[in-house]
Structures are given as structure tokens and as C-alpha cells.
Amino acid sequence: MTTSLIETSGYIGSAEAPFIQEMTEITHHMWTLGWDELNGGNISYLLDEEEVGKYIDIHSSLRSLDLAFPVKELAGKYFIVTGSGKYFRNVIKDPEANLGVVRVSASGEQVEILWGLRNGARPTSELASHFMSHIERLKVDPKHRIVLHTHATNVIAMTFTHELDESKFTKTLWQMCTECLVVFPDGISILPWMVPGSNEIGRETAKKMKDYRVVIWPHHGIFGTGATMDETFGLIETVEKAAAVYNLIGGREIRQVITDSELADLAMAFGVEPKAGVLGLV
Ligand code: 2HA
Ligand code: ZN
């Protein structure tokens, strides 16, 4: 009788891990879209212990890193994250150098690195925004798993020409493509311009995440959250598409729009609740 790999070594091995494959595929896809130049963009993905334990040895950690912001709420939770200063372009060539599987320590003051982040690499420079956003999204959606940040080109461009009022920005996006209202009836939120990589931008991003799945950082990029990679990427892709249409129209005469009553009909037909205060805005 042959014994399976899992019985002899205790775990299957990272090469087979679906969560590493998902991260590799999505980072490559986003790089090809031109959204993640240089080391732009970062992702964190909350994983189940049982799932991680199938592929990676979770009983010995490679090293621990102190967090500048305690996240007691995430104690014992596992994440796969992109590495600080790492390029999305390179993930596909060497996942173990550019990604890491980490576990938040029992105190919530450290992360233990279980796999990847080879040669002393650290988790994403936006870890504060990611972890604090996970905490808030989990409070409102137990199925929440993913925080994805990217430098979506058209979203960035739109933040130079459109008023940075959340309701007005949301309404413009809804008007750009019919399906937008159905995909993000909860609208988008916007922070003032802030220095990235700080605990402060992390706290402000997470505050928005209490009510929104999307946070735009003007002149920088976008944060999207969701239960799966498909859902989260699809959400950002839809916002970016609407922003692209807005930018294409830019400066031209608008002859007709989707009216507010048409948007209301759409919401009714698809059974979604538009963010209060957006329809009816002029
Ligand atoms: O990873 O995108 O916001 C680099 C960034 C910082
Ligand atoms: Zn960024």
C-alpha cells in the first residue's frame, strides 16, 4: 500500500497551494493591466488555518516581526501577503521571494512568517491599512477575506479632474456604465490625500471600510475588499472601467445620460439598495 504525501510529510507543499496560485495569477494579471508599476500595489488574503496547514508547515515559524500597530482582533489569523518593495511583475517568477504566509501572534503585536518573504523581506508597506481594514470588514461581513490595493490608472486620473466628494464621485461612476450601480450600490469612499505607508492612513482607510468596500486614495490608487479574489478584483475592475469611460468622455459635449429615474429602475430590477443621498444629486 502506498502512503500519501500528506501522511508522510504532514503537509503537501507550497507549490500546490491554491492560495499561492491565486496570488500569483492575480498579481500577474494586474501587472499586465499596467496598474502595478515598479512595487506599486499590495494584497492580503485571510486564510483558514486548516487550508494553510495542508500545504505549509504551520508548527514552525521562520521568524517574527514586530507590528507598529497592535491588531489583537486578528490574533492567530493567517494571511498571504505581498512583500514590501516587491514587484507584482516578479511574483510569477519567484512566489517565495515576493509573497509570504504570515500568522498574527497571540498578542496581536507580531507577525510570524511561516513561508516565503525570502532573504529577510517584510510584508507590504501598507500592512496597517490592510490589517485595520480586515478588522472592520470582518465586523460587517463574516465572509470577507481580501484587501487589494492597486494603482488603477483611470481611477487615479479621475481624481485630478472630478470633485472629490464621495456622493458626487459615486454618482458619476454609476452613470458611466449601466452595471456599475448593480456592482457597487454601496458606492465608493474617498480619503483626503495622505502620506502612504503610515498607521494614520491605515486608520483612516479602515474607518471608511466600516461602510464601504472601496476606498480611493486620490492621486494614488484604490483599495477594494471582498470575499473572493474574483469578487474583489471584479469590483475594482468595474470602478476602473467606469473611470476609464469618464476620462474618455472628458471635455466632450454630453448629449444624454442615464437618468436618476433610470438608475432607480435599475436598482429595483436588480434588487439593490443605492447608497442613500446619491440619486437626486445634481
Ligand atoms: O506597495 O502601493 O501604497 C507600494 C504601494 C504603496
Ligand atoms: Zn500604492
Side-chain angles (χ1 to χ4, degrees), residues 104-214:
V104 178
S105 66
S107 67
E109 287 168 8
Q110 277 119 21
V111 282
E112 301 163 81
I113 296 168
L114 304 173
W115 173 88
L117 297 176
R118 215 174 43 226
N119 298 331
R122 301 176 66 87
T124 166
S125 59
E126 303 293 359
L127 197 63
S129 289
H130 281 254
F131 276 178
M132 293 180 199
S133 295
H134 280 292
I135 292 170
E136 294 306 327
R137 291 309 304 165
L138 284 167
K139 285 183 196 164
V140 290
D141 177 12
K143 294 211 285 297
H144 160 84
R145 292 291 176 271
I146 292 169
V147 174
L148 198 163
H149 166 62
T150 182
H151 298 172
T153 315
N154 282 286
V155 171
I156 298 174
M158 190 171 163
T159 64
F160 288 88
T161 58
H162 196 284
E163 208 177 323
L164 295 179
D165 172 272
E166 289 173 346
S167 294
K168 290 183 182 166
F169 208 97
T170 294
K171 180 161 176 191
T172 301
L173 292 172
W174 284 355
Q175 288 176 320
M176 292 301 107
C177 317
T178 295
E179 304 258 310
C180 283
L181 171 61
V182 180
V183 177
F184 51 98
D186 45 343
I188 58 89
S189 62
I190 308 177
L191 287 188
W193 187 90
M194 293 176 77
V195 175
S198 62
N199 293 347
E200 196 194 352
I201 202 169
R203 276 190 291 274
E204 294 305 314
T205 302
K207 268 191 219 163
K208 296 288 186 190
M209 292 291 184
K210 291 176 200 281
D211 298 309
Y212 296 92
R213 292 173 297 152
V214 176

Side-chain angles (χ1 to χ4, degrees), residues 7-179:
E7 281 164 19
T8 49
S9 69
Y11 56 97
I12 297 169
S14 62
E16 305 292 323
F19 47 88
I20 296 174
Q21 287 166 5
E22 272 187 276
M23 290 286 278
T24 303
E25 278 166 20
I26 202 70
T27 47
H28 184 69
H29 184 62
M30 289 167 70
W31 175 71
T32 62
L33 290 169
W35 297 354
D36 298 284
E37 74 293 341
L38 201 73
N39 62 329
N42 28 77
I43 309 178
S44 60
Y45 182 177
L46 172 60
L47 305 169
D48 290 332
E49 180 171 66
E50 199 188 331
E51 175 77 353
V52 179
K54 280 189 219 163
Y55 301 96
I56 286 169
D57 181 3
I58 57 171
H59 300 293
S60 60
S61 84
L62 304 171
R63 58 198 158 97
S64 285
L65 295 171
D66 288 338
L67 293 172
F69 48 91
V71 284
K72 187 86 185 143
E73 299 89 332
L74 299 178
K77 295 219 184 293
Y78 292 77
F79 294 88
I80 184 163
V81 297
T82 49
S84 177
K86 300 298 181 189
Y87 299 7
F88 276 22
R89 182 169 66 84
N90 291 337
V91 174
I92 199 165
K93 288 186 272 186
D94 192 353
E96 200 168 347
N98 295 289
L99 303 174
V101 174
V102 303
R103 176 174 53 212
V104 178
S105 66
S107 67
E109 287 168 8
Q110 277 119 21
V111 282
E112 301 163 81
I113 296 168
L114 304 173
W115 173 88
L117 297 176
R118 215 174 43 226
N119 298 331
R122 301 176 66 87
T124 166
S125 59
E126 303 293 359
L127 197 63
S129 289
H130 281 254
F131 276 178
M132 293 180 199
S133 295
H134 280 292
I135 292 170
E136 294 306 327
R137 291 309 304 165
L138 284 167
K139 285 183 196 164
V140 290
D141 177 12
K143 294 211 285 297
H144 160 84
R145 292 291 176 271
I146 292 169
V147 174
L148 198 163
H149 166 62
T150 182
H151 298 172
T153 315
N154 282 286
V155 171
I156 298 174
M158 190 171 163
T159 64
F160 288 88
T161 58
H162 196 284
E163 208 177 323
L164 295 179
D165 172 272
E166 289 173 346
S167 294
K168 290 183 182 166
F169 208 97
T170 294
K171 180 161 176 191
T172 301
L173 292 172
W174 284 355
Q175 288 176 320
M176 292 301 107
C177 317
T178 295
E179 304 258 310

